[in-house]
Amino acid sequence: MTARSGPDPNRSLVGASASDAKLAENYLRAFGYLPEDVPLQSDSGRAAVRASQAMALLATTGDIDEATRTVFEQPRCGFPDRQGVEDPRSGKSLTSVAEFVAFGTVWDHAVITYRINNLSPDFDQNRQRALIRAAWERWAAVVPLVFQETTGAPDIEIRFARGSHGDGSPFDGPGNILAHAFFPPPNGGSLAGDAHFDEDEQWQDGVRPGGFDLFNVAVHEFGHSLGLNHTSVPNSTMNPFYPVPSTPAADDREGVRQIYRRHIWAASLYRDVLGRRFDDGGLDFWVRKLFSNSSPEQVARGFLYSLENSGRIATDLYFTLLDRAPEPAGLDHWRTQLAGGLGRQSAIVAFLDSAEYRGKYPADDAFIDSLYRRLLRRPPDAGGYRYWKDMMKGGMSRYEVARGFVLSDEYCRAYARGLYRNYLRREPEQAGWDGWTGRLKAGLNHQDAETGFVASPEYQNAVVSWW
């Protein structure tokens, strides 16, 4: 919004009435625009008014006009809007808000527990509990986090309180501040993530006159509990002024996904490597690994060489090469071998050299033809067919022939191209394609090549927008 023309923006609030000045001072100090040691009647005080007007998308005049007074009295979240405001003269921070409002923290696990310490007497408590659960689910639909209510020691405590309630941020009675919440650890110490609702408000189910919608306010506050700050973007859940959209908007989704990008990456490995949705305990395990100094490469290898993925590879080889489902003993054997470090291409060669495969193609010419069709996915060309037939006549074993196909430029190039398409959702650039093809021809395990793709910065960045 373009600011309208007005008085000199550098003059102080000399003309403000005493009641307007007091209203402005209380608001600006409460929401992080003006520290206690900076007077309202100063250039910095006028700058603070302009900053609060910008957050509310008003003309940034620095005057306390009717629209600005309305904002100062509007029901809203008690979480400060600004942290680290700079004095235009000194360049030093003007805010001295508590440490818990510092931005940038994130939960270092995926299963986040909450405990409801008490509920409001204003309406049915079972319904309140359901609304709180539904508010968490709005964020679980945006990022791979699991919210579980507990009666034990929680990550997040939720409670209703009046006035001063032990967190250094007292409520103000009916109206204005409705609730507040704290960022994830380490900010806030024992209060990290906690959400408090002002019991002096009239809480209700639904946005309508006479009270405040618990669900609407909870969705907003839980955004703070996850690490989101306020935004001036209109129609966003993290706008500070009640009511807000109860479904996180594009601005909210982009912000929380950037905060939880490592969680999204781990969850994406379940989807893209294992072909399924994450299980709660497994995701929590891998996210904790990422936050305890395990590298993306180590976590990716954990997925690629897991018993689950190894079983998927082995099952696929049975169907692709032997045209049947695996028997339990055989599946267990190959799954164990692959999880122990055997490369997928080595398993392919072993299948092709097996007695069962020999029984399917006892003649050398049929064996060669099958390799073209099953591995290269095309009929044999005359020159290539003749080459391999001559090699077998000269004494080359089936094992060596199969290995020659699996390490051929054609097979490795096709496999590398598939990695680009499957994981990066694009066609390969020539230099990268040539590089991966060369490494595969030199014997790089297929699982290690996949590790390189899913641990790459390109994939890690891309999955945030694909979630």
Side-chain angles (χ1 to χ4, degrees):
M1 179 181 292
T2 303
R4 64 172 183 257
S5 60
D8 179 1
N10 293 314
R11 71 171 174 79
S12 63
L13 298 172
V14 184
S17 69
S19 61
D20 283 353
K22 186 61 175 175
L23 176 67
E25 183 173 6
N26 289 343
Y27 185 94
L28 298 173
R29 295 203 195 286
F31 299 113
Y33 295 97
L34 191 68
E36 293 297 328
D37 59 348
V38 176
L40 178 66
Q41 298 289 359
S42 65
D43 290 345
S44 296
R46 190 170 180 80
V49 174
R50 291 200 304 273
S52 70
Q53 290 170 328
M55 173 61 78
L57 299 181
L58 300 179
T60 54
T61 63
D63 293 322
I64 307 175
D65 52 23
E66 183 63 33
T68 304
R69 278 195 299 274
T70 299
V71 167
F72 288 170
E73 296 173 333
Q74 185 173 346
R76 57 157 290 156
C77 171
F79 192 94
D81 295 333
R82 292 171 66 87
Q83 297 88 45
V85 181
E86 286 188 353
D87 185 319
R89 297 161 299 180
S90 68
K92 295 181 180 179
S93 173
L94 288 176
T95 51
S96 56
V97 294
E99 289 184 0
F100 66 80
V101 300
F103 179 72
T105 52
V106 57
W107 292 101
D108 63 2
H109 46 287
V111 176
I112 299 172
T113 59
Y114 66 93
R115 184 178 67 210
I116 301 173
N117 287 353
N118 67 320
L119 290 162
S120 172
D122 295 344
F123 68 101
D124 181 77
Q125 297 202 347
N126 287 331
R127 179 60 181 159
Q128 291 180 55
R129 194 176 297 276
L131 291 174
I132 289 171
R133 182 170 59 252
W136 284 121
E137 289 305 312
R138 287 296 169 93
W139 292 109
V142 176
V143 286
L145 294 171
V146 180
F147 301 102
Q148 295 179 350
E149 185 176 357
T150 182
T151 57
D155 294 311
I156 294 169
E157 294 191 32
I158 298 169
R159 65 187 177 108
F160 290 76
R162 287 185 169 93
S164 180
H165 52 281
D167 64 2
S169 300
F171 285 131
D172 59 353
N176 203 221
I177 295 176
L178 305 180
H180 55 226
F182 299 80
F183 277 145
N187 290 327
S190 62
L191 292 168
D194 291 359
H196 301 162
F197 298 82
D198 188 353
E199 187 49 72
D200 279 329
E201 311 299 346
Q202 179 65 41
W203 295 103
Q204 63 189 23
D205 183 2
V207 178
R208 62 181 186 276
F212 298 103
D213 180 27
L214 176 60
F215 176 67
N216 188 278
V217 175
V219 173
H220 175 96
E221 297 305 329
F222 294 163
H224 292 315
S225 297
L226 297 180
L228 283 176
N229 208 336
H230 280 155
T231 178
S232 62
V233 176
N235 299 317
S236 290
T237 295
M238 296 314 297
N239 191 282
F241 303 107
Y242 175 88
V244 296
S246 296
T247 298
D251 179 68
D252 309 306
R253 296 193 300 270
E254 180 179 356
V256 78
R257 285 170 179 162
Q258 287 298 325
I259 294 173
Y260 289 93
R261 56 191 301 113
R262 281 179 282 187
H263 296 63
I264 291 174
W265 178 70
S268 296
L269 297 183
Y270 279 91
R271 179 192 62 205
D272 293 339
V273 175
L274 302 183
R276 65 172 175 88
R277 184 190 183 278
F278 62 84
D279 58 280
D280 298 350
L283 179 63
D284 193 66
F285 171 83
W286 289 113
V287 169
R288 289 178 185 272
K289 284 282 191 182
L290 285 171
F291 280 87
S292 60
N293 297 321
S294 289
S295 68
E297 289 77 14
Q298 290 170 320
V299 171
R301 279 183 61 85
F303 274 80
L304 269 302
Y305 284 99
S306 66
L307 282 171
E308 181 176 349
N309 190 55
S310 298
R312 282 166 49 85
I313 293 172
T315 299
D316 177 70
L317 295 183
Y318 271 93
F319 279 106
T320 302
L321 301 179
L322 302 183
D323 303 309
R324 66 174 177 86
E327 75 284 357
L331 177 60
D332 184 65
H333 167 79
W334 287 110
R335 179 173 52 206
T336 301
Q337 291 294 309
L338 289 160
L342 181 72
R344 175 178 174 272
Q345 65 269 55
S346 296
I348 292 173
V349 172
F351 269 73
L352 297 173
D353 191 41
S354 68
E356 182 173 349
Y357 198 83
R358 186 180 300 273
K360 292 171 67 71
Y361 302 102
D364 290 348
D365 55 353
F367 173 72
I368 295 169
D369 182 83
S370 75
L371 298 186
Y372 273 97
R373 297 181 188 277
R374 291 183 185 270
L375 298 182
L376 304 186
R377 300 180 184 277
R378 65 175 177 85
D381 59 281
Y385 180 76
R386 186 166 49 250
Y387 168 81
W388 289 112
K389 194 168 184 179
D390 289 344
M391 294 299 290
M392 292 193 76
K393 284 182 177 178
M396 183 176 281
S397 69
R398 289 196 171 201
Y399 174 88
E400 293 172 305
V401 173
R403 192 167 184 275
F405 270 79
V406 169
L407 297 180
S408 68
D409 185 85
E410 182 176 350
Y411 181 82
C412 293
R413 190 165 294 279
Y415 188 79
R417 186 173 197 169
L419 296 179
Y420 276 91
R421 290 175 172 176
N422 293 338
Y423 292 120
L424 304 184
R425 275 63 157 178
R426 67 174 176 86
E427 292 298 318
E429 77 285 355
Q430 193 63 51
W433 194 11
D434 290 344
W436 283 107
T437 299
R439 296 178 68 186
L440 289 163
K441 289 170 66 176
L444 178 71
N445 280 0
H446 286 179
Q447 300 97 309
D448 291 337
E450 290 185 70
T451 295
F453 272 78
V454 298
S456 70
E458 180 176 350
Y459 179 82
Q460 292 185 63
N461 292 330
V463 294
V464 175
S465 61
W466 295 344
W467 191 254

